[in-house]
């Protein structure tokens, strides 16, 4: 089990997921709907697009501190 980096309590294991057909990404700013996300400054692909399935990634959560940790 992992400890919360903020409060030190045990974190709960589970999955971070999004709506169907979505994928998680990271960038310095959220690109507009009609922009190619891969062109966004600082773009990093976190998960693959999975048509007809929920995108998910293993994660841990501390509901007390509202911290979610995951490794991509």
């Amino acid at each position: 089990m992992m400890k919360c980096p903020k409060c030190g309590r045990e974190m709960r294991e589970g999955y971070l997921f999004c709506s169907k057909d979505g994928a998680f990404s990271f960038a310095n700013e959220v690109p507009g709907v009609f922009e190619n996300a891969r062109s966004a400054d600082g773009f990093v692909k976190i998960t693959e697009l999975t048509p007809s399935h929920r995108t998910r990634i293993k994660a841990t959560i501390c509901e007390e501190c509202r911290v979610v940790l995951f490794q991509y």
Side-chain angles (χ1 to χ4, degrees):
M1 286 292 214
M2 184 174 278
K3 301 274 187 190
C4 175
K6 198 167 180 181
C7 72
R9 294 181 180 159
E10 288 285 323
M11 297 180 79
R12 183 166 52 97
E13 294 180 344
Y15 292 89
L16 181 64
F17 64 92
C18 69
S19 60
K20 292 180 184 175
D21 297 341
F24 290 110
S25 301
F26 180 89
N28 296 337
E29 292 185 15
V30 177
V33 163
F34 299 109
E35 294 178 67
N36 183 340
R38 292 177 188 271
S39 306
D41 184 42
F43 176 84
V44 177
K45 180 172 65 174
I46 304 294
T47 63
E48 295 290 335
L49 183 65
T50 53
S52 301
H53 294 84
R54 291 193 188 275
T55 300
R56 63 191 175 277
I57 189 167
K58 285 188 175 189
T60 55
I61 188 170
C62 176
E63 293 177 80
E64 183 71 28
C65 297
R66 301 179 59 91
V67 169
V68 177
L69 301 175
F70 62 91
Q71 187 170 359
Y72 69 98

